Amino acid sequence: MSRLARIRAEAAGAMRTFLRRRTAVFFTFFFPVVLIVIFAGLVRTQGGGGAGLFSEPTGYYLPAYLATVVLFTPLSRVGSEVARHREDNRFEKLSTTPLTRAEWLAAHALVNVALIVAASLLLVVALLLTGASFEFSPWLAFFVPVSSVLFCGVGAILGSLAEGQDGAIAASNGIALPLLFLSETFVQPALFPEWFRPLLDVSPLVYFSRGVRAATFPEAIEAAGSSGVVATNAAVTLGLAVVAFTVGAALIPWTE
């Protein structure tokens, strides 16, 4: 069996497992839409260019809504899956097969990318229904899947180091929640203390937010002055994805 065939077989099994879990399907596809209904449909944004929460036009927050699936889905799913495989000694069994740890992680990353791309399309449609205005950019086809791989790698790291499945889920949520609000998503940088703003660069999600916003929100593109801001954040995101995937695959306990 070739490497591609092994990855395809593992990915097919992972996809079937996901589809059997109705709760996972709901939170992956419909929970982010509920957020849009609440914040973009009911709360509404002001679009006045102020410094308060939700003071920007709805299109400004496209990276924030996409981040709910780009960040939470791979962290929780891959983290809990690695921890579950550890507890059930599945990695020991897999180590006796031709499948490698990198191939296993690649298969699960592919499944997550497919799910996140589908969920992102649903989010875009939901935002358009609220009257949001933003530009469709080909950069979305880069940032969404590459960032998904990035957080699949981080999820694998958490699942490999956490004490059990509950610990992996707790660690995923403990990391994802702060990142969601400290990565120039829902909260504008101007709302943070001046001394704290340089620390935003530590978040891997911030490069996704900056890149997507510069590529899709007209005012952000104007402020940037060129597409260089998009390309720079894309390069950083790609580099982080390679590092996270490599480290995550290396830490998977293939044998105990």
Side-chain angles (χ1 to χ4, degrees), residues 94-236:
L94 288 173
S95 67
T96 64
T97 71
L99 188 73
T100 66
R101 63 187 78 192
E103 291 169 354
W104 183 91
L105 184 55
H108 286 262
L110 283 173
V111 171
N112 277 274
V113 167
L115 295 173
I116 291 166
V117 167
S120 297
L121 290 173
L122 183 62
L123 285 175
V124 168
V125 172
L127 270 176
L128 289 174
L129 292 176
T130 68
S133 176
F134 51 87
E135 292 189 359
F136 289 96
S137 169
W139 280 105
L140 285 174
F142 172 89
F143 279 105
V144 171
V146 172
S147 298
S148 301
V149 173
L150 162 59
F151 290 108
C152 281
V154 176
I157 294 171
L158 295 178
S160 299
L161 300 179
E163 295 184 0
Q165 188 176 349
D166 290 341
I169 294 174
S172 298
N173 291 333
I175 290 175
L177 279 174
L179 285 184
L180 183 62
F181 294 99
L182 299 178
S183 303
E184 299 185 16
T185 49
F186 290 104
V187 183
Q188 301 98 297
L191 295 180
F192 292 110
E194 189 172 348
W195 63 266
F196 184 80
R197 293 171 198 170
L199 297 179
L200 296 175
D201 293 340
V202 176
S203 168
L205 184 64
V206 77
Y207 302 101
F208 167 84
S209 300
R210 290 171 180 169
V212 171
R213 182 166 292 121
T216 61
F217 192 63
E219 285 80 356
I221 295 174
E222 253 179 50
S226 73
S227 61
V229 171
V230 182
T232 298
N233 285 286
V236 174

Side-chain angles (χ1 to χ4, degrees), residues 25-132:
V25 174
F26 172 81
F27 278 97
T28 299
F29 290 99
F30 298 106
F31 178 68
V33 174
V34 171
L35 289 179
I36 289 178
V37 171
I38 293 174
F39 293 111
L42 298 178
V43 174
R44 309 294 286 178
T45 56
Q46 302 301 316
L53 285 173
F54 296 103
S55 60
E56 300 288 347
T58 305
Y60 177 91
Y61 299 100
L62 174 63
Y65 295 119
L66 291 178
T68 60
V69 288
V70 167
L71 176 64
F72 280 90
T73 299
L75 275 185
S76 60
R77 291 196 71 252
V78 175
S80 61
E81 197 68 20
V82 170
R84 186 183 300 112
H85 275 55
R86 286 174 55 202
E87 291 175 345
D88 297 342
N89 296 320
R90 297 183 189 179
F91 286 131
E92 282 190 356
K93 298 175 183 177
L94 288 173
S95 67
T96 64
T97 71
L99 188 73
T100 66
R101 63 187 78 192
E103 291 169 354
W104 183 91
L105 184 55
H108 286 262
L110 283 173
V111 171
N112 277 274
V113 167
L115 295 173
I116 291 166
V117 167
S120 297
L121 290 173
L122 183 62
L123 285 175
V124 168
V125 172
L127 270 176
L128 289 174
L129 292 176
T130 68

